[in-house]
Amino acid sequence: MPPCSRAAARTLTALALTAATLTACAAPVGAPSSADRASLAPEQAAAQARPPQRAPRPPTLPLAPGGQAPVFAHGPRAPQDTTARDKTVALTFDADMTASQGPLAAAGEPYDNPALVDLLTAERVPATFFVTGMWARTYPGQTAALGRDPLFEVGNHSFSHYAFTEPCHGLPALEPGQAAADVREGFAALRAAGVANPAPYFRFPGGCYDEAALRAIAPSGVTVVQWDVVSGDPFNPDAGAVARQVLSGVRPGSVVVLHCTRSAAPATTEAVRRIVPELRERGYRFVRVSQLIADALE
């Protein structure tokens, strides 16, 4: 080949390589080429074409007699010496705030507990959070992060954290006829904060309710989640005492009530740091409330 022809061939080859490189760079990272798509089995190609599926809705219990919302306090009981698969426990954390506490939070009073969430994440402990609407409004970023994390689920703890029946641990009471609206506003606040799919679970402020309250909130379709193990963490600075109370009360299927507000539950993080390894040593597996309800429905 003459020198000029060889030079032209080298130029054409370089141009072709450059074009191929640019074409490859233009393709989206991770996107299959047309050749790749053609080589896919039909079911694989169909799966890639489908939009992402939403997670299934967490299970709920059927309505109770008299049109009352159902109440769930613990999962199925299994023998203490059963396998780890069946020895389950759910840690739940209430994020309490009333309207009057909003200005206190704005002034620096800590009603959140990021260290607790970090601990649960580091230890890979599933948990269920019951968040008030006021807490979601005050800490929208943290609320949204809880809702995005597949380790956790976020339920409704009312909007106002006012009592649905009296007396209730000194909480102010809702106005008559406001129960259903307060539940709706609680869910709306969670969604506004970024929790796209709140769990269909409701925890009464203070755990206080009566038959009238259960009938009033029944149209919302929620399962009321109570507990069978009281941690005693509100206003308790003794992490050891909180841990001992939880550890002494847990049975297979237990629901433990704790709090994630530093100002009102200052020892909870340290207590959980002690509770988690001890329960794992006893053969327990941590699950969300939705798993316990699913087990109860089997």
Side-chain angles (χ1 to χ4, degrees):
M1 180 182 293
C4 60
S5 298
R6 285 197 296 271
R10 285 195 297 271
T11 300
L12 289 172
T13 300
L15 288 172
L17 289 171
T18 300
T21 301
L22 290 173
T23 301
C25 291
V29 176
S33 66
S34 56
D36 291 335
R37 284 193 293 270
S39 67
L40 288 174
E43 63 272 14
Q44 291 175 300
Q48 286 202 358
R50 286 196 296 268
Q53 299 295 306
R54 290 179 60 180
R57 187 175 188 266
T60 55
L61 298 178
L63 278 177
Q68 298 176 22
V71 179
F72 180 81
H74 60 77
R77 298 300 193 193
Q80 291 283 353
D81 60 351
T82 192
T83 64
R85 173 175 172 77
D86 295 319
K87 286 179 67 171
T88 53
V89 59
L91 300 184
T92 67
F93 298 90
D94 292 357
D96 302 346
M97 272 193 76
T98 63
S100 64
Q101 291 168 329
L104 298 177
E109 185 79 11
Y111 289 91
D112 62 342
N113 196 339
L116 171 64
V117 178
D118 290 345
L119 173 63
L120 295 171
T121 302
E123 294 294 330
R124 305 307 297 164
V125 177
T128 302
F129 287 81
F130 288 94
V131 177
T132 63
M134 283 301 303
W135 199 95
R137 279 190 178 180
T138 305
Y139 302 105
Q142 294 184 52
T143 304
L146 291 174
R148 288 193 303 267
D149 195 323
L151 198 62
F152 307 132
E153 60 191 3
V154 179
N156 184 344
H157 196 30
S158 80
F159 179 81
S160 64
H161 203 253
Y162 281 13
F164 281 57
T165 185
E166 294 184 281
C168 185
H169 310 292
L171 290 174
L174 284 174
E175 293 293 326
Q178 289 302 303
D182 202 69
V183 173
R184 288 195 301 270
E185 290 170 16
F187 278 121
L190 293 177
R191 293 188 179 95
V195 181
N197 298 297
Y201 305 142
F202 178 75
R203 175 167 284 168
F204 284 103
C208 304
Y209 65 91
D210 57 15
E211 291 184 359
L214 291 175
R215 284 193 295 271
I217 70 169
S220 65
V222 297
T223 291
V224 173
V225 177
Q226 292 290 96
W227 55 81
D228 67 315
V229 178
V230 176
S231 68
D233 64 342
F235 308 104
N236 189 345
D238 188 342
V242 173
R244 287 191 297 272
Q245 184 158 321
V246 170
L247 292 170
S248 66
V250 165
R251 298 170 58 193
S254 279
V255 176
V256 183
V257 59
L258 297 130
H259 295 78
C260 58
T261 48
R262 280 177 291 166
S263 61
T268 303
T269 302
E270 181 56 34
V272 170
R273 198 184 308 278
R274 303 180 191 189
I275 291 165
V276 167
E278 175 61 28
L279 286 179
R280 282 177 168 160
E281 179 67 22
R282 297 181 188 181
Y284 279 90
R285 179 168 56 93
F286 292 98
V287 298
R288 293 175 289 275
V289 165
S290 55
Q291 182 60 59
L292 291 185
I293 293 178
D295 292 344
L297 291 170
E298 286 183 353

